[in-house]
Amino acid sequence: MPYRVFEEYNIEVTEDIKNQYKGVIQNIGENVEREGLIKTPERAAKAMQFLTSGYDKDPAEILKGAMFAEDYNDMIIIKDIELYSLCEHHMLPFFGKAHIAYIPNGHIVGLSKIPRIVDVFARRLQVQERLTHDILECIHNTLKPLGVAVVIEASHMCMMMRGVQKQNSVTTTSGFRGQFEKVETRNEFLKLITAKLH
């Protein structure tokens, strides 16, 4: 049996966005009745709803749903978390990796929840700076750890496809709270996310 993914969308919202995409396609001089474009407005409408599905989710609740009391109080790092988002200025993609660490203060969180909150914030119209801050503050305010660190490295299609057209540029943003504001702890984190341990 072929692999199928079930996706559910609000019919009225999908229809409204679909009609707006039809208008966009017509306004750039294309024929919406052309064979290759007949279903494009509906596909684009569904894609846009998926790519902005983070507005419907509460990242703090995701973390709270998998918090466990634990005495462990050393650094926990989840690195190379893939992320894909839409730049709010041109609605073009930016993509890359997030590296996140925290030092527990009585509670740890299920490891899969950190990438999930990255997805929640990334699936909104974003700028990389705010995305970094949103993830940092969510972990800081919800888990209340001894420290949190977030580094994001991303390539932006708005720079690569248009504007300055710099295909190999990468933007790095970072944020640190608590123990990671100390130089030694921050440097240990930065060393570990750049190290090849395998």
Side-chain angles (χ1 to χ4, degrees):
M1 183 174 174
Y3 175 73
R4 296 183 65 190
V5 176
F6 178 73
E7 295 177 342
E8 190 172 357
Y9 299 97
N10 181 303
I11 295 171
E12 289 179 17
V13 172
T14 302
E15 193 65 22
D16 188 32
I17 299 173
K18 180 179 91 171
N19 290 330
Q20 292 179 59
Y21 270 116
K22 270 187 181 177
V24 170
I25 293 168
Q26 288 171 328
N27 286 333
I28 63 172
E30 260 289 3
N31 175 12
V32 290
E33 301 303 322
R34 182 162 66 77
E35 183 181 12
L37 290 174
I38 289 174
K39 292 191 175 181
T40 296
E42 182 176 351
R43 290 190 195 105
K46 289 178 178 178
M48 183 56 68
Q49 288 175 84
F50 174 77
L51 294 171
T52 58
S53 59
Y55 291 112
D56 298 329
K57 298 178 177 72
D58 184 342
E61 289 304 313
I62 290 171
L63 290 180
K64 288 175 185 174
M67 285 175 61
F68 308 101
E70 190 62 56
D71 288 336
Y72 186 88
N73 59 2
D74 289 309
M75 191 183 305
I76 298 170
I77 301 175
I78 305 98
K79 68 178 191 175
D80 296 331
I81 303 167
E82 293 181 5
L83 68 87
Y84 303 90
S85 193
L86 288 178
C87 163
E88 68 181 33
H89 298 144
H90 302 97
M91 293 178 69
L92 289 171
F94 68 92
F95 56 92
K97 292 181 178 178
H99 313 289
I100 299 171
Y102 73 98
I103 300 172
N105 184 22
H107 288 89
I108 59 170
V109 68
L111 292 177
S112 68
K113 304 308 176 189
I114 301 289
R116 281 194 65 196
I117 67 161
V118 171
D119 282 347
V120 168
F121 286 119
R123 288 179 186 157
R124 300 175 181 185
L125 298 182
Q126 278 287 10
V127 294
Q128 185 175 329
E129 297 87 343
R130 186 171 65 246
L131 177 59
T132 305
H133 179 266
D134 286 348
I135 295 166
L136 182 77
E137 291 302 313
C138 179
I139 297 170
H140 177 70
N141 295 332
T142 308
L143 279 183
K144 303 194 185 313
L146 298 174
V148 189
V150 177
V151 170
I152 293 178
E153 305 168 283
S155 298
H156 293 250
M157 298 305 283
C158 58
M159 285 180 66
M160 298 165 74
M161 292 180 68
R162 62 168 304 284
V164 294
Q165 297 179 47
K166 300 301 180 191
Q167 280 76 31
N168 297 309
S169 64
V170 174
T171 301
T172 303
T173 49
S174 63
F176 305 98
R177 293 286 182 275
Q179 294 291 324
F180 288 96
E181 294 176 88
K182 295 180 179 176
V183 174
E184 316 82 59
T185 312
R186 184 165 66 244
N187 285 347
E188 180 186 350
F189 164 68
L190 294 172
K191 183 178 178 182
L192 286 168
I193 66 172
T194 56
K196 299 294 180 191
L197 300 178
H198 50 282

